[in-house]
Amino acid sequence: MIMITGASSGLGAALAGLYSDDEVSLTLTGRNQQRLEKVSAALNDNVVTHSADLCDPQSVSELFDSLTEVPSTVIHCAGSGYFGSIEEQDPIAIKQLLDNNVTSTIFFLRELIQRYRNQKVDVVVVMSTAAKAGKAGESTYCAAKWAVRGLVESLRLELKDSPMKIIAVYPGGMATRFWETSGKDLNTSSFMTALEAASMLKQALVSTKHGYISDITINRG
């Protein structure tokens, strides 16, 4: 079974479609149950949806309680964007950005590791190329993604002797509704589609008995 967070739109929804084509059992989660059901309606019958607020540890715990089996792969796509020059950014929106990207990931990975540390689970954490370089007008977004990268690299050390593996993913710009809610107005016609990025990521996640790709950067052309 594969669990995908942030599955109600964008990369998460595109990945759900690709894995559904393989007849894989899926658990899809996001905040909006209606949007999750809309995504799942186009997929096979082996799909379960469960709305959850990953910023709420109780909601995260209930999400994992709902699982009927240990997932083989967990793909964490949930997150949000917020852009603008630092002096123009709203403090409430900054806090929401940090909660949606950093707090949610900490709570989600904390619960996941508590339950499955000794299980062979591939944990895929989708960040952004903003986690690798600073960008003007994206200061707090970069700060959030750098924080998640630090979390991932630290947890890898904690899981050194565990069969659980953490895979870091750094996608570049995708033409999704992400930009509509981020406050950044730009032309995305040259950006990857979510399906293009999902196809490349799915290919890269194929592992062998003795190897896997631990860090994946997906740049737009």
Side-chain angles (χ1 to χ4, degrees), residues 18-153:
L18 291 177
Y19 281 110
S20 176
D21 289 343
D22 293 343
E23 301 295 323
V24 174
S25 295
L26 294 170
T27 295
L28 308 182
T29 186
R31 289 187 176 183
N32 190 304
Q33 183 64 30
Q34 287 185 323
R35 294 217 311 256
L36 285 173
E37 290 175 358
K38 185 176 180 179
V39 170
S40 67
L43 308 180
N44 66 41
D45 294 334
N46 298 321
V47 179
V48 174
T49 62
H50 186 108
S51 60
D53 178 1
L54 302 186
C55 295
D56 176 4
Q58 182 60 38
S59 184
V60 175
S61 179
E62 291 170 358
L63 168 64
F64 282 101
D65 284 343
S66 74
L67 302 184
T68 58
E69 60 183 302
V70 178
S72 60
T73 302
V74 176
I75 307 177
H76 179 51
C77 296
S80 66
Y82 178 59
F83 303 113
S85 59
I86 189 65
E87 69 273 16
E88 296 176 348
Q89 291 191 27
D90 178 68
I92 294 174
I94 291 172
K95 185 179 185 304
Q96 185 177 50
L97 172 76
L98 294 174
D99 283 343
N100 289 345
N101 291 280
V102 184
T103 304
S104 62
T105 303
I106 291 172
F107 288 163
F108 182 73
L109 295 182
R110 170 184 173 272
E111 190 74 28
L112 180 69
I113 292 170
Q114 278 185 340
R115 293 176 184 247
Y116 305 130
R117 168 186 281 274
N118 297 317
Q119 303 285 341
K120 192 178 187 308
V121 182
D122 289 335
V123 183
V124 183
V125 181
V126 178
M127 290 171 270
S128 164
T129 51
K132 304 183 80 174
K135 299 182 181 183
E138 300 185 17
S139 55
T140 50
Y141 182 68
C142 287
K145 295 304 182 182
W146 283 43
V148 175
R149 183 179 178 183
L151 172 69
V152 165
E153 293 185 359

